[in-house]
């Protein structure tokens, strides 16, 4: 995978390259540096799916970081953009272009690591679940899944747009899901933690209003999982 660093200050770009290479260490990561938004756009458009994230300086001549991010948005390139600047007051402008995170220069290493961890978690949630039904393969975005329900030897997958029936055991399905984002609250149910709206000690209410029981022996573990999810993804 690739990570782009776009900044007109060469010394800063090289520093970021070293920090990122040290963070990822043995992983197959290529750090690409660009001195202008124009150069970045030209390369990213060639292969947008290859990029893990983009570090983008707001204050650049000709094409600013905000303008570059706007172009990425217009092209529907959904690579997470982490904006960089020496002036914290520019942070609000990042919301206008859908920036994933905002970091102030000089970059705090702990905040940088938190931002990279957040990208990793978001990438995991953006994964798709392949479901075969009626001779067709459906690629379900995991962030659209509400919950899984076991029915004998089958599982019903409930999503925002419909239901899908697959032949699989719930425990097997649970092992294949990202543990931070999904939790088996009952012997018959797995819920998407990002879809949990409320918990009353006995059942969870999802964002679509569905109520799902939480097994007595799973309640303490669920509370721990919910606290961890909110701490790391909230």
């Amino acid at each position: 995978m690739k990570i782009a660093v776009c900044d007109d200050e060469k010394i800063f770009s090289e520093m970021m390259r070293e920090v990122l290479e040290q963070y990822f260490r043995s992983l197959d990561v290529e750090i690409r540096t660009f001195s202008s938004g124009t150069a970045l756009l030209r390369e990213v458009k060639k292969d947008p799916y290859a990029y893990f994230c983009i570090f983008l300086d707001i204050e650049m001549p000709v094409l600013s970081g905000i303008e570059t991010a706007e172009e990425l948005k217009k092209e529907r390139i959904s690579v997470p953009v982490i904006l960089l600047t020496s002036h914290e007051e520019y942070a609000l402008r990042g919301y206008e272009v859908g920036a994933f995170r905002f970091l102030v220069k000089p970059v705090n290493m702990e905040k940088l690591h938190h931002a990279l961890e957040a990208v990793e978690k978001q990438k995991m949630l953006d994964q798709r679940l392949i479901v075969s039904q009626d001779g067709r393969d459906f690629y379900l975005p995991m962030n659209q899944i509400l919950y899984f329900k076991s029915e004998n030897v089958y599982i019903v997958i409930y999503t925002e747009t419909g239901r899908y029936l697959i032949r699989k055991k719930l425990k097997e399905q649970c092992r294949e899901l990202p543990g931070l984002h999904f939790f088996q609250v009952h012997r018959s149910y797995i819920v998407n933690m990002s879809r949990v709206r409320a918990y009353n000690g006995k059942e969870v209410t999802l964002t679509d209003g569905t109520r799902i029981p939480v097994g007595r022996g799973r309640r303490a573990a669920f509370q721990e999982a919910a606290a961890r999810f909110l701490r790391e993804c909230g």
Side-chain angles (χ1 to χ4, degrees):
M1 67 181 183
K2 299 177 183 178
I3 293 178
V5 178
C6 185
D7 196 298
D8 59 325
E9 297 178 14
K10 187 175 181 180
I11 294 175
F12 178 82
S13 293
E14 290 304 313
M15 181 275 290
M16 284 293 292
R17 182 205 296 274
E18 293 176 9
V19 169
L20 292 169
E21 286 177 346
Q22 184 177 10
Y23 177 85
F24 288 100
R25 294 179 184 267
S26 60
L27 296 181
D28 185 19
V29 179
E30 179 185 355
I31 314 298
R32 301 287 307 277
T33 60
F34 302 91
S35 59
S36 70
T38 303
L40 171 74
L41 289 169
R42 184 169 55 246
E43 289 302 310
V44 173
K45 285 179 182 179
K46 291 179 182 178
D47 191 9
Y49 297 105
Y51 284 85
F52 176 74
C53 67
I54 296 171
F55 288 91
L56 184 57
D57 183 34
I58 288 181
E59 303 150 82
M60 293 189 295
V62 186
L63 200 64
S64 72
I66 294 294
E67 292 168 330
T68 303
E70 286 175 343
E71 286 300 313
L72 290 169
K73 192 174 180 180
K74 286 179 186 176
E75 294 289 332
R76 298 191 177 184
I77 296 174
S78 58
V79 182
V81 172
I82 300 172
L83 291 175
L84 305 163
T85 185
S86 302
H87 303 284
E88 195 167 357
E89 60 269 23
Y90 291 158
L92 290 176
R93 295 204 61 194
Y95 290 104
E96 300 171 10
V97 294
F100 184 79
R101 284 288 189 280
F102 177 87
L103 295 176
V104 178
K105 294 180 178 180
V107 175
N108 177 283
M109 290 300 104
E110 184 178 357
K111 290 183 178 180
L112 172 62
H113 290 177
H114 285 328
L116 291 169
E117 288 166 4
V119 173
E120 289 178 295
K121 286 163 189 159
Q122 185 62 46
K123 290 284 186 179
M124 185 176 293
L125 195 58
D126 286 342
Q127 290 178 352
R128 294 174 181 264
L129 188 68
I130 303 175
V131 175
S132 297
Q133 188 168 283
D134 299 327
R136 298 173 61 193
D137 286 340
F138 295 88
Y139 296 82
L140 306 181
M142 288 195 182
N143 62 346
Q144 291 183 12
I145 295 172
L146 296 166
Y147 64 99
F148 299 80
K149 181 181 179 182
S150 174
E151 293 189 357
N152 297 318
V153 295
Y154 293 94
I155 295 174
V156 183
I157 305 171
Y158 290 80
T159 74
E160 295 176 340
T161 56
R163 299 184 302 172
Y164 301 85
L165 184 69
I166 60 174
R167 188 182 179 91
K168 185 180 285 188
K169 293 181 179 179
L170 200 67
K171 286 185 178 180
E172 181 184 350
Q173 182 65 73
C174 195
R175 287 195 296 268
E176 297 174 2
L177 296 168
L180 180 64
H181 298 280
F182 290 88
F183 187 84
Q184 185 172 353
V185 295
H186 185 276
R187 66 177 181 274
S188 299
Y189 295 94
I190 297 171
V191 299
N192 184 340
M193 298 297 285
S194 68
R195 298 297 181 173
V196 174
R197 186 175 65 190
Y199 174 56
N200 65 7
K202 293 184 179 179
E203 63 181 15
V204 294
T205 301
L206 304 184
T207 50
D208 70 335
T210 301
R211 294 182 177 181
I212 293 177
V214 179
R216 187 184 300 272
R218 302 172 191 264
R219 291 171 187 172
F222 171 73
Q223 287 181 295
E224 291 177 6
R228 180 174 173 238
F229 176 81
L230 291 172
R231 183 172 62 249
E232 299 188 23
C233 300

